[in-house]
Amino acid sequence: MQLAYLPLLLVSCAVATPILNLPSILAGFTNAKISKSAGGEATCVSGVIPITATARNTKLLLPEPADQNAATQIFQDLTQIGSTLLVTTNGGPVTVTGTYKINARLCYPTNPTAQAKVHTLQLLTHGVGLDITYWDIAPGNSYVDTAVAAGYATLAYDRLGVGASDHPDPIQVVQSYTDVEIEHGLIQIVRAGLFGAAAFKNVVGVGHSYGSVIQVGVTSKYPKDLDAVILTGMSDTLIYLGSTILANNPAIARLNKPTEFSSLSNGYLVHDTPISVQLPFFRYPNFDINIFNAQYAAKQSYTLGQIFSIGGVMTPAPSFTGPIDVVLGQNDFPFCMGDCVAPVNRATAVKSAFYPAAGAGSQSYIVPNTGHNINAHLTAGQAFTQMIKFLQANNL
């Protein structure tokens, strides 16, 4: 991994009330903007962070689908019984290097006194079909609000190929291996004190779904990067991935949502309909329909490259010794097929499967009557409370 750290660009920001030491909190961003979190607990700066990443990707012998019929056929071939598509499309390792603009949002307590006491940063990585806003959905459904109110800083970002971040080749470049290297690059910037108001004593990786898989990949390859990890919406297995792909009914993004994705190539995908989002990700009636509708309207892109490479980074991290916390909705579909406590507790199974040396302070939690997208459910606050208590119990 190499880092490209461009000169910071400080901008003038008009704010209604006195807040943070702006020159310091703006450090590391270009095109910076100031905003408040959904519930008002945090003052946040958003902007672009350039990351140069070198990843050992897989050369995929997979042509870009010519149209939706061709895209659908790829997923039929991938999920059918006895499929060999992952083998026949594997052209071996290939080194991919690039400098990518990553959209990120750093949030601190608004009060300068509280800000000065912050010593731990939570790095928030979202899942497939989502973006940076998953962590700050609405008052009561904002993990950013909860974390900042408890004295933490948060850094959420749009993964490569999502939202306001760059959208390079969706088959050969935007793969899980690249996602791991980009997060590693962000961590190095934070650790070096080149970002935000000051260097942080601790950095905690917090993921949701595919974002949790990326945390596993980081801790496997770079076990000293993070002091702890919180894995939400992820279990010990990918065996239900095929069912989830079919439930999502992947659609070519530029055809499905041309107002937003018309410039993207056909290797970029989105979940097709509201049913494609509710079936695998939401548990009725435990969510606000207005939040559900907003989540569907804001659906984001993902790539063929990520789908074909996810298994390559979800590997054990035997050298990671920090504590882990695994948080699953009881009715999670992608990682539990709707029941995370039978026949085994999928949350507790993660430690033995991926983190045999994890710290004694490790925990797990099943959020009752909750689907995959925990933050968007009425029970989100229960999950947030447990996550903060886990960090506090480990003096982070």
Side-chain angles (χ1 to χ4, degrees):
M1 162 62 63
Q2 300 171 330
L3 297 179
Y5 201 78
L6 302 186
L8 63 88
L9 173 65
L10 299 183
V11 300
S12 297
C13 301
V15 293
T17 57
I19 55 167
L20 311 171
N21 181 341
L22 287 181
S24 62
I25 194 176
L26 290 170
F29 287 101
T30 60
N31 302 322
K33 298 179 181 178
I34 299 294
S35 63
K36 289 291 187 74
S37 58
E41 292 287 348
T43 297
C44 307
V45 56
S46 302
V48 171
I49 304 172
I51 299 290
T52 295
T54 298
R56 192 169 183 262
N57 281 8
T58 297
K59 180 177 177 58
L60 289 176
L61 308 178
L62 189 69
E64 181 181 297
D67 52 28
Q68 184 59 56
N69 290 332
T72 298
Q73 183 61 48
I74 289 172
F75 294 112
Q76 286 180 324
D77 290 343
L78 180 63
T79 57
Q80 72 182 32
I81 294 176
S83 174
T84 60
L85 193 61
L86 289 177
V87 175
T88 59
T89 58
N90 189 330
V94 60
T95 299
V96 174
T97 299
T99 298
Y100 310 106
K101 295 177 182 177
I102 300 300
N103 179 56
R105 188 179 191 228
L106 175 67
C107 296
Y108 279 96
T110 295
N111 183 283
T113 301
Q115 178 213 349
K117 297 179 181 179
V118 172
H119 60 83
T120 297
L121 175 80
Q122 298 190 45
L123 180 60
L124 312 179
T125 307
H126 63 81
V128 164
L130 299 167
D131 64 8
I132 196 172
T133 63
Y134 176 74
W135 303 104
D136 190 32
I137 295 172
N141 292 86
S142 170
Y143 183 66
V144 170
D145 274 325
T146 300
V148 167
Y152 298 93
T154 64
L155 176 63
Y157 67 99
D158 285 331
R159 289 185 290 95
L160 190 65
V162 175
S165 292
D166 280 347
H167 289 69
D169 186 309
I171 297 177
Q172 307 302 339
V173 175
V174 189
Q175 295 186 9
S176 302
Y177 308 105
T178 308
D179 286 332
V180 166
E181 298 302 334
I182 286 174
E183 178 165 319
H184 173 63
L186 286 169
I187 294 167
Q188 299 316 297
I189 288 176
V190 170
R191 292 287 194 190
L194 300 173
F195 182 80
F200 294 94
K201 178 182 177 182
N202 305 305
V203 181
V204 177
V206 183
H208 168 66
S209 189
Y210 178 82
S212 291
V213 173
I214 298 308
Q215 306 302 333
V216 173
V218 168
T219 50
S220 177
K221 188 172 183 181
Y222 303 106
K224 300 301 182 182
D225 268 12
L226 297 168
D227 296 287
V229 290
I230 300 177
L231 309 173
T232 75
M234 193 206 84
S235 76
D236 61 321
T237 181
L238 284 174
I239 61 174
Y240 309 118
L241 180 60
S243 297
T244 302
I245 290 172
L246 295 178
N248 290 148
N249 196 20
I252 292 175
R254 71 175 187 86
L255 301 178
N256 182 272
K257 200 176 181 184
T259 55
E260 185 171 350
F261 301 127
S262 61
S263 64
L264 299 184
S265 63
N266 286 358
Y268 278 96
L269 309 164
V270 293
H271 307 323
D272 188 21
T273 69
I275 296 172
S276 307
V277 173
Q278 180 184 343
L279 196 160
F281 299 147
F282 284 78
R283 189 70 172 188
Y284 183 82
N286 193 22
F287 57 86
D288 183 320
I289 190 61
N290 293 315
I291 286 180
F292 173 81
N293 289 337
Q295 290 281 286
Y296 174 73
K299 66 182 180 181
Q300 285 294 323
S301 55
Y302 54 100
T303 73
L304 279 169
Q306 290 167 327
I307 291 173
F308 275 72
S309 60
I310 182 173
V313 303
M314 194 171 170
T315 57
S319 297
F320 182 77
T321 58
I324 71 165
D325 187 29
V326 183
V327 181
L328 272 167
Q330 178 184 353
N331 305 113
D332 188 291
F333 185 97
F335 285 90
C336 304
M337 207 60 184
D339 189 344
C340 288
V341 295
V344 298
N345 185 312
R346 290 290 184 189
T348 59
V350 170
K351 186 176 183 294
S352 59
F354 294 105
Y355 291 102
S362 297
Q363 299 181 19
S364 64
Y365 179 61
I366 299 291
V367 191
N369 305 313
T370 302
H372 182 65
N373 285 9
I374 297 169
N375 294 13
H377 282 73
L378 297 176
T379 44
Q382 297 177 42
F384 298 165
T385 296
Q386 190 277 337
M387 293 158 69
I388 297 301
K389 287 183 176 179
F390 159 75
L391 294 174
Q392 293 171 338
N394 284 281
N395 298 313
L396 292 167

